[in-house]
Amino acid sequence: MTVIESKVTINAPAASVYNFLADLNNHHQLMPENVVGWTATKDEARFNIQNMAKLVLQVSNRNPNEILINAVEAPPFPLELKWQIKEAGTQTQVFYTISADMNMMMKMLASGQLQKLADFETQRLKELVTK
């Protein structure tokens, strides 16, 4: 299992961060330009990563401190996205984990890109949710 992690501290209440992340409609704002064809509901998102893959993500669990999202409908490899939200005084710490079950070749090709994606998403979240 390949685990990619990114964290960020946001100057906003945990409830605001949770409300943003709990709705997959908002996740399009976190994605880089090579994510195209985005369609979403609160619980599911469908999109293409240009020249790479088509993905369908679905929320599998929500609670005020954590949101779990899984790739469904024949992803290129099993994939879980986990957003953990922790209030720290007037700020909120957000931990984002991408867990992917990839073979060694896929890991060599994709892990760097997944780390860039995770870091991009957490920084973009900070920009969008900060007061």
Side-chain angles (χ1 to χ4, degrees):
M1 183 69 67
T2 301
V3 178
I4 309 292
E5 297 176 318
S6 185
K7 67 179 180 176
V8 68
T9 300
I10 300 174
N11 188 24
S16 296
V17 175
Y18 172 81
N19 289 336
F20 183 90
L21 290 172
D23 186 344
L24 287 185
N25 285 299
N26 295 328
H27 286 242
H28 186 237
Q29 298 172 66
L30 302 177
M31 296 295 165
E33 291 180 3
N34 67 335
V35 171
V36 296
W38 184 276
T39 59
T41 65
K42 183 177 181 178
D43 298 321
E44 185 177 276
R46 296 172 178 272
F47 58 93
N48 292 308
I49 302 170
Q50 278 182 330
N51 303 319
M52 291 177 77
K54 178 182 178 180
L55 284 176
V56 179
L57 301 178
Q58 191 171 64
V59 174
S60 60
N61 189 34
R62 280 187 193 93
N63 70 57
N65 300 316
E66 186 176 88
I67 299 162
L68 291 176
I69 303 167
N70 292 100
V72 296
E73 293 188 18
F77 44 81
L79 180 69
E80 178 186 79
L81 312 175
K82 180 176 16 177
W83 292 93
Q84 294 174 293
I85 303 158
K86 182 180 179 187
E87 195 146 27
T90 60
Q91 298 180 321
T92 301
Q93 293 179 331
V94 178
F95 302 90
Y96 181 41
T97 306
I98 300 173
S99 301
D101 190 9
M102 299 182 281
N103 64 37
M104 188 57 99
M105 180 64 104
M106 186 63 80
K107 182 177 181 175
M108 289 180 3
L109 293 172
S111 60
Q113 294 300 317
L114 287 173
Q115 185 66 59
K116 285 181 186 177
L117 175 64
D119 293 340
F120 182 89
E121 286 187 72
T122 55
Q123 287 306 307
R124 188 76 178 118
L125 176 67
K126 182 176 182 175
E127 293 169 13
L128 291 167
V129 181
T130 297
K131 291 181 180 178

